[in-house]
Structures are given as C-alpha cells and as structure tokens.
Amino acid sequence: MTGDPVWTYMATDYSYEELGSGAELELPETLSLNEGAPGPEMGKWGEEFVNHYLERQKRLGAIIDFVWINNAQESGRPYDFEVHFADDNGIQTDYIEVKSTRLDRKEVFEISIQQVKFASEQKEHFHIFRVFNAGDKEQVKLIRITDLNMRMSQKQVKLCMLI
C-alpha cells in the first residue's frame, strides 16, 4: 500500500448483503435510463429501482409499508426512504439512502455530513442501498450496507475527503 490511494484497498473487508440482481429483480419495462444521462437522472433511476424493490417486499409481506421521501422532488432529508416493519419490539422504522452508479463496481461515493450525523443517530436503522449497473436491467445489482454507523466504528467503511 505504498502510496496507493486509499480507495484502491479500503473496501475489501466490509460485509454487505446482496439483495438481488438482473432479471430476478423483475423490473418493469417502464424503468429506463438514457445512455449518458446526468448524475441526478441516474440517482432518480436508482431510487425508482429501489421503490420497485420495496413494493415487491411489501407484496411478499417482508415489510409493512414504506414512504419514498423524494418521489415528487428532492426533500433535502438525509435519506430517501422510510421503511416500516414489525419485529419483537413492535413497529420499527428503517431509513434508506440510495447510492447509484452505472459501473458494476465503484466503492467510492459521496455522502453528506447530514447523512453521517443521521447514521450516527439512527445506528442500526440507517442503511445504504447501492445500485450497481444503473440503467442496465440485465446486469443491475442491489446490495445493502447495514448499520453504517457500526461499520464506520469498526473501520469496515471509511470516509475520505476530496478537495
């Protein structure tokens, strides 16, 4: 690691949960992304993709309900979805931030200070959903990084500064 940038070796030991990929995610035909679309369009596609995934989870009974916070317009909140589910302690809420990329592997992505603070407050209830190969229905992959706060504390996820 002599002089190599941190992002070339930083994410090799973190764990995540793969939620699905390609055709098994049963994406609707209406979900499309133009080649070369700017970042905000790709981000919106990723959120639409996760919205579809959560709709399916609701139909399957895995969650009770969810709210897509940015459906109409960007809310400015440090998360994109609120997901409501039941466990032994009653009704719980998880918060999901969606991060999308057109690449099949991109370990470095932006996260705001508000999201870092919110992750610290919400602990195991704040998750990152990573969408890889955004716009490619055959190659798209969805993973979940659970409990971002704990992963940062255990140095499984690192923050970088870019000037």
Side-chain angles (χ1 to χ4, degrees):
M1 289 190 274
T2 58
D4 290 336
V6 68
W7 54 84
T8 62
Y9 60 85
M10 67 183 238
T12 57
D13 61 352
Y14 79 95
S15 60
Y16 58 84
E17 177 183 6
E18 186 166 335
L19 300 176
S21 61
E24 73 186 49
L25 293 167
E26 301 175 10
L27 295 174
E29 288 300 317
T30 57
L31 188 59
S32 64
L33 181 65
N34 293 327
E35 185 70 31
E41 286 182 32
M42 184 179 51
K44 184 72 168 179
W45 189 95
E47 288 183 26
E48 288 178 18
F49 172 75
V50 170
N51 181 66
H52 176 75
Y53 173 81
L54 293 173
E55 284 175 352
R56 185 170 177 222
Q57 294 303 300
K58 183 178 174 182
R59 282 192 311 274
L60 295 172
I63 62 174
I64 296 170
D65 203 4
F66 69 96
V67 178
W68 182 6
I69 302 301
N70 298 328
N71 187 16
Q73 65 183 21
E74 177 61 43
S75 69
R77 293 188 192 171
Y79 56 91
D80 299 312
F81 291 90
E82 293 177 6
V83 177
H84 309 289
F85 64 96
D87 67 8
D88 294 340
N89 297 319
I91 305 298
Q92 303 291 323
T93 303
D94 277 355
Y95 302 91
I96 297 170
E97 172 62 18
V98 179
K99 299 293 186 182
S100 303
T101 179
R102 284 188 181 275
L103 305 174
D104 65 349
R105 183 171 178 90
K106 181 180 178 190
E107 295 167 340
V108 177
F109 58 88
E110 286 186 38
I111 185 166
S112 71
I113 189 65
Q114 292 85 0
Q115 290 165 335
V116 172
K117 286 179 183 178
F118 195 73
S120 178
E121 294 165 5
Q122 295 303 317
K123 301 191 183 332
E124 71 273 6
H125 293 287
F126 182 81
H127 311 287
I128 302 266
F129 275 34
R130 285 288 278 148
V131 178
F132 295 96
N133 297 312
D136 183 342
K137 293 179 189 173
E138 297 302 316
Q139 300 295 317
V140 68
K141 181 170 74 170
L142 179 63
I143 68 166
R144 173 175 42 204
I145 302 169
T146 58
D147 194 349
L148 185 62
N149 185 64
M150 184 258 317
R151 304 233 179 260
M152 286 188 295
S153 297
Q154 293 181 353
K155 297 183 180 165
Q156 293 176 347
V157 174
K158 296 177 173 93
L159 299 178
C160 297
M161 186 180 311
L162 178 65
I163 300 176

